[in-house]
Amino acid sequence: MIKKHIILLVLILWSILSFSQTSSTLSLSKFSKISIITSGPGEALYEKFGHTAIRVKDPMLQLDLIYNYGIINFENPNFYIDFTKGFMKYKLARYPFYLALKSSQKDKRWVKEQVLNLTEKQKNEVFQFLEINAAPKNASYFYDPFFDNCATKPRDIIQNTLGENLILKDDFVKSDLSIRQLMNKEINPNTWGSLGINVALGSKLDKVASPTEYLYLPDYVFKALQESKVKKNDKVENLISKTNTLLDFKEQEPKSDAFNPLLVILLISLVGMFITYKDYKNKKRTKWLDFLLLFLTGIVGVLIVFLWFFTNHSTAPNNFNFLWAFAPNLVIAFVLLKNNHPKWIKLYFKIALILLCLIPIIWITKIQLFSYVLVPFFILLGIRYLFLQKTLNR
């Protein structure tokens, strides 16, 4: 990971130092080509969705550049604080295409090129736009993983350049899927990364995605461009004049983690249910179990509240994971360490049980989908809350 960050920083430095070598007034020749480059998924979590970039090649000018909107801006001294708050600054970087291909070759990621069917004037419009925006003072932008990312940028550039001449097809949409379902197709749900993302993000991801919203994923940008058309000289032609396979590796299938969350949560839940059974039979209460369950769910609940109300993450609000990750549990965890409890404590766990019972309703009605790996934990919480509601202050 550190090595990749060093490489990215070198590329940014190269882009800054070499920017002056290509003037914004330079025009591409009629032999130039502008292509959309799509890469397959990689090993790291942020690479699971694949990647989209723009290639500009002109043999007359001896140019072969890639314009990459997926560069994290580590130059920002407050990067990690801003990232947590939802102000995720990324950069447009411009560097030799062979470096990008070499990186994909090393990572064994397939790479396909779609040559855009543009007029010479349109090619130059795209080129000048990219050159201006690759300048150091313009390169940064606020990234959104679902609405403004490396895949949506090329889509928007094509739409802005072609305007009404673009006929963007949506035949690639075969079923009504939500943004979350599209995301979960790319990441194996039985991974810690998938679990974290699904817990942290709210119900905005669960509305049925429009064809345009599908295009936050590189695969669907590729499919949409393949089927789309362009009006040229009163004729309708294919938007893509040629498709080339530059690297032909087998696509990396999303795999579960070896030390996966389902296994861990299932074991914890079984142990918790067994302890609860023993407590019920022996008429006692295991305080440390209650503390751990309530402290853990309370901490996650506080995180959900923070992301929902105190950050700029577009998909964090309206997160129904608060029904099990209930922030007040953080306080109740310490209350239950005492031998004497307030009279309202039984009412508290009755409310907590009601909240848990709402989860399957919200799940079935698809208001929000939850991670299936949490099901054993939901059952444990329900059993333990029922036990506490019946036994406390008896």
Side-chain angles (χ1 to χ4, degrees):
M1 180 69 74
I2 294 175
K3 187 176 180 181
K4 284 191 176 183
H5 288 166
I6 292 173
I7 293 171
L8 291 177
L9 287 172
V10 170
L11 290 176
I12 292 171
L13 181 61
W14 184 96
S15 178
I16 293 171
L17 293 176
S18 66
F19 184 82
S20 60
Q21 296 176 12
T22 303
S23 169
S24 60
T25 59
L26 190 65
S27 294
L28 297 176
S29 73
K30 64 179 181 180
F31 301 103
S32 62
K33 293 180 181 179
I34 293 184
S35 310
I36 302 300
I37 302 296
T38 306
S39 305
E43 288 290 340
L45 178 61
Y46 63 88
E47 297 173 334
K48 295 294 184 184
F49 302 97
H51 187 57
T52 303
I54 302 174
R55 180 186 187 183
V56 176
K57 184 176 182 180
D58 191 333
M60 300 301 292
L61 298 177
Q62 296 185 325
L63 289 179
D64 194 0
L65 300 171
I66 191 164
Y67 294 80
N68 182 356
Y69 278 95
I71 303 296
I72 299 173
N73 186 3
F74 289 107
E75 295 174 322
N76 177 10
N78 300 316
F79 171 78
Y80 292 104
I81 295 174
D82 290 345
F83 191 93
T84 302
K85 291 179 179 179
F87 297 100
M88 298 176 283
K89 266 201 171 183
Y90 275 52
K91 293 188 74 163
L92 167 61
R94 159 192 175 278
Y95 50 92
F97 178 71
Y98 79 89
L99 292 175
L101 204 60
K102 186 177 180 180
S103 176
S104 295
Q105 173 87 38
K106 183 179 179 181
D107 294 340
K108 297 183 177 180
R109 300 169 66 179
W110 59 258
V111 177
K112 294 180 180 179
E113 176 185 42
Q114 295 168 295
V115 180
L116 294 172
N117 184 5
L118 304 176
T119 64
E120 188 174 340
K121 180 177 179 294
Q122 290 166 344
K123 291 176 190 177
N124 275 289
E125 285 179 11
V126 173
F127 178 57
Q128 298 303 331
F129 178 88
L130 292 170
E131 282 293 292
I132 291 170
N133 283 276
K137 65 179 180 180
N138 302 325
S140 295
Y141 73 100
F142 286 112
Y143 171 90
D144 186 298
F146 301 101
F147 304 108
D148 197 3
N149 64 14
C150 71
T152 64
K153 288 292 188 182
R155 174 202 70 189
D156 294 343
I157 291 170
I158 294 170
Q159 288 179 322
N160 291 336
T161 301
L162 296 179
E164 295 180 353
N165 292 319
L166 175 65
I167 306 172
L168 195 60
K169 297 287 188 177
D170 57 13
D171 298 346
F172 61 90
V173 178
K174 304 300 181 185
S175 55
D176 292 334
L177 297 176
S178 68
I179 297 174
R180 189 188 304 273
Q181 287 171 318
L182 291 170
M183 175 188 74
N184 287 337
K185 286 175 64 178
E186 306 297 325
I187 311 176
N188 190 296
N190 195 16
T191 58
W192 294 104
S194 174
L195 176 60
I197 293 171
N198 278 286
V199 169
L201 302 182
S203 59
K204 186 174 180 178
L205 290 183
D206 293 281
K207 73 180 188 69
V208 174
S210 67
T212 299
E213 288 172 333
Y214 271 69
L215 303 185
Y216 84 89
L217 292 171
D219 274 352
Y220 287 105
V221 173
F222 181 89
K223 292 175 182 177
L225 296 182
Q226 284 294 102
E227 298 178 7
S228 294
K229 306 291 183 180
V230 62
K231 296 176 184 175
K232 290 182 69 176
N233 301 320
D234 297 324
K235 294 181 181 179
V236 175
E237 301 178 9
N238 291 330
L239 176 61
I240 302 303
S241 60
K242 188 178 182 181
T243 301
N244 302 313
T245 299
L246 304 181
L247 292 176
D248 193 18
F249 290 105
K250 183 179 179 181
E251 181 159 331
Q252 300 178 29
E253 296 295 329
K255 299 177 182 178
S256 64
D257 292 337
F259 184 67
N260 60 74
L262 180 59
L263 176 62
V264 173
I265 291 172
L266 182 60
L267 288 175
I268 291 173
S269 300
L270 290 174
V271 170
M273 284 184 268
F274 177 74
I275 293 173
T276 302
Y277 171 75
K278 296 293 286 184
D279 285 352
Y280 178 77
K281 295 292 285 184
N282 297 328
K283 292 182 170 52
K284 66 169 190 173
R285 182 171 69 86
T286 305
K287 290 184 179 180
W288 65 262
L289 175 62
D290 294 329
F291 179 81
L292 286 178
L293 287 178
L294 293 169
F295 185 82
L296 174 63
T297 54
I299 285 289
V300 177
V302 169
L303 176 62
I304 288 172
V305 170
F306 173 75
L307 292 172
W308 186 337
F309 294 102
F310 302 102
T311 73
N312 197 48
H313 292 285
S314 64
T315 51
N318 304 322
N319 188 348
F320 287 93
N321 278 292
F322 83 87
L323 294 171
W324 65 270
F326 198 43
N329 281 2
L330 188 59
V331 176
I332 302 301
F334 292 94
V335 171
L336 290 191
L337 287 176
K338 301 176 181 179
N339 291 322
N340 297 319
H341 310 110
K343 292 181 179 179
W344 49 260
I345 199 72
K346 294 182 74 170
L347 176 62
Y348 179 87
F349 284 106
K350 185 178 289 186
I351 294 171
L353 271 170
I354 293 171
L355 294 180
L356 280 178
C357 290
L358 292 175
I359 289 176
I361 298 172
I362 290 171
W363 200 338
I364 291 170
T365 56
K366 295 184 178 181
I367 295 173
Q368 180 170 329
L369 302 184
F370 299 84
S371 175
Y372 76 83
V373 304
L374 288 171
V375 170
F377 191 67
F378 293 161
I379 296 172
L380 168 61
L381 285 178
I383 291 173
R384 194 68 190 179
Y385 287 170
L386 183 62
F387 168 78
L388 291 171
Q389 198 268 327
K390 295 292 186 183
T391 59
L392 289 175
N393 290 339
R394 180 179 287 177

